[in-house]
Amino acid sequence: MNASEDASPTVAIVGTGQIGAVHVECARRAGATVVGLVGSSPDRARAKATAWGVPVVYSDLEELLEQPDIDVVHIASPNHVHASQAIAVANAGKHVICEKPMALDSASAGAMVDAAQAAGVVHATCFNFRFYPLMHEAHAMMLSGELGEPRLLTGSYHQDWLFEDTDWNWRLDSERAGDLRSVADIGSHWLDLMSWISGRCVTEVCADLHTFIPVRYRPHGEVETFSGASGAGGEPVSIDTDDAASVLLRLEGGARGSFSVSQVSAGRKNDLRFELAGSQRALMWSSEASDTLWVGRRGRTSEVLLKDPVHLSDEARSVAFYPGGHVEGYAEAFTAFFASVYDDVARGGPAAAPRYPTFVDGYHGACVADAIRASAASGAWTEIRY
């Protein structure tokens, strides 16, 4: 699966952390030419540009937006600047891909939607889990009626990279990351994936948030995500964001659900998993075993579906790069996602029904996050206000 032969966009990346490196690599794999980089400081950006083979470092976003040859801007910066940066990109008439969580609240996310739609640019939110081939297969199964009506959606997204009190990252700073951490950072992925596969929006939530490590030790200087760097001997800092959360869900059509998120679960490196029970069949999947999808049946033996383009639906085959037995995972999902976005860039604007998650999907995620925040504060079921 490749982007259209005519699709060869020129791309610049905003952000020099771990996810910025992913955007550089996967944009290239999707057929783009990465020409420039913006970082939190010119010195940091120059070091990363040299390491990543990016030819130009811009002093700031304003200088980047003055460049007429840049088609797409990827925003992979800290959460608190997503909205202002994305709106500036859209107002400059450039297509934009933004990391999740798209904004710190639904009002800011809504302003991003308005700006992108007014400018007529392609806009996408990085819910990359949709682009694992077997997630497209699950989506196709739901659309075809093979699963029946969705009844119960359960699962989790657990990691351990913030397990120790000496683990540190900018995401622990609520001024930069927002006051929701595990919910916004990884729970947003689970919620988007489940809503997309089931075709049902969340209507109400009942949430419990918890901070298990109320004091952490911050080292001097920046620490990249998943770097394993320690804050041992560093400055003690009080933490006001969630290490973990449990959320009950009510969805359109009477479906129910529950999920947990955690960044302090030992041994879980990056494990998004779900079980979707439909009125005809059930599905179960884990991102740490991304090439297998369990299909549950009542009247006959359940089975494990292996990722093999020969046996997948047309929808899933369109985002599969390799033959069966050749594992596809994190990087391939980003690459397929970017290629899908670049196809619309090549056509000059968003399709009537984009194949990728847009700013509208990011806005929906921000609305659910607002309700989770309110529910955790009140201890009551809270309606989603889209």
Side-chain angles (χ1 to χ4, degrees), residues 172-239:
L172 292 159
D173 180 356
S174 58
E175 291 188 2
R176 300 174 71 188
D179 58 357
L180 288 181
R181 183 183 7 119
S182 65
V183 168
D185 186 31
I186 56 179
S188 58
H189 274 302
W190 193 94
L191 286 160
D192 175 77
L193 189 63
M194 289 296 88
S195 292
W196 178 65
I197 291 175
S198 70
R200 303 291 189 272
C201 287
V202 178
T203 59
E204 293 179 88
V205 297
C206 187
D208 177 50
L209 309 181
H210 196 69
T211 304
F212 291 103
I213 305 175
V215 176
R216 291 178 179 268
Y217 295 88
R218 178 171 57 197
H220 300 292
E222 290 289 331
V223 176
E224 289 193 6
T225 308
F226 295 112
S227 67
S230 170
E235 174 191 2
V237 177
S238 296
I239 300 301

Side-chain angles (χ1 to χ4, degrees), residues 25-37:
E25 175 192 353
C26 296
R28 287 169 169 160
R29 291 176 63 176
T33 301
V34 181
V35 298
L37 188 66

Side-chain angles (χ1 to χ4, degrees), residues 4-57:
S4 157
E5 290 184 359
D6 295 329
S8 182
T10 302
V11 163
I13 311 293
V14 180
T16 56
Q18 178 263 345
I19 198 64
V22 172
H23 279 248
V24 170
E25 175 192 353
C26 296
R28 287 169 169 160
R29 291 176 63 176
T33 301
V34 181
V35 298
L37 188 66
V38 173
S40 56
S41 72
D43 287 344
R44 178 176 170 81
R46 277 190 286 271
K48 293 294 185 176
T50 299
W52 300 343
V54 178
V56 179
V57 171

Side-chain angles (χ1 to χ4, degrees), residues 33-79:
T33 301
V34 181
V35 298
L37 188 66
V38 173
S40 56
S41 72
D43 287 344
R44 178 176 170 81
R46 277 190 286 271
K48 293 294 185 176
T50 299
W52 300 343
V54 178
V56 179
V57 171
Y58 303 109
S59 58
D60 52 29
L61 181 63
E62 289 71 22
E63 183 184 2
L64 184 163
L65 295 178
E66 291 171 357
Q67 310 307 311
D69 60 332
I70 293 175
D71 302 311
V72 188
V73 178
H74 289 232
I75 296 175
S77 51
N79 306 344

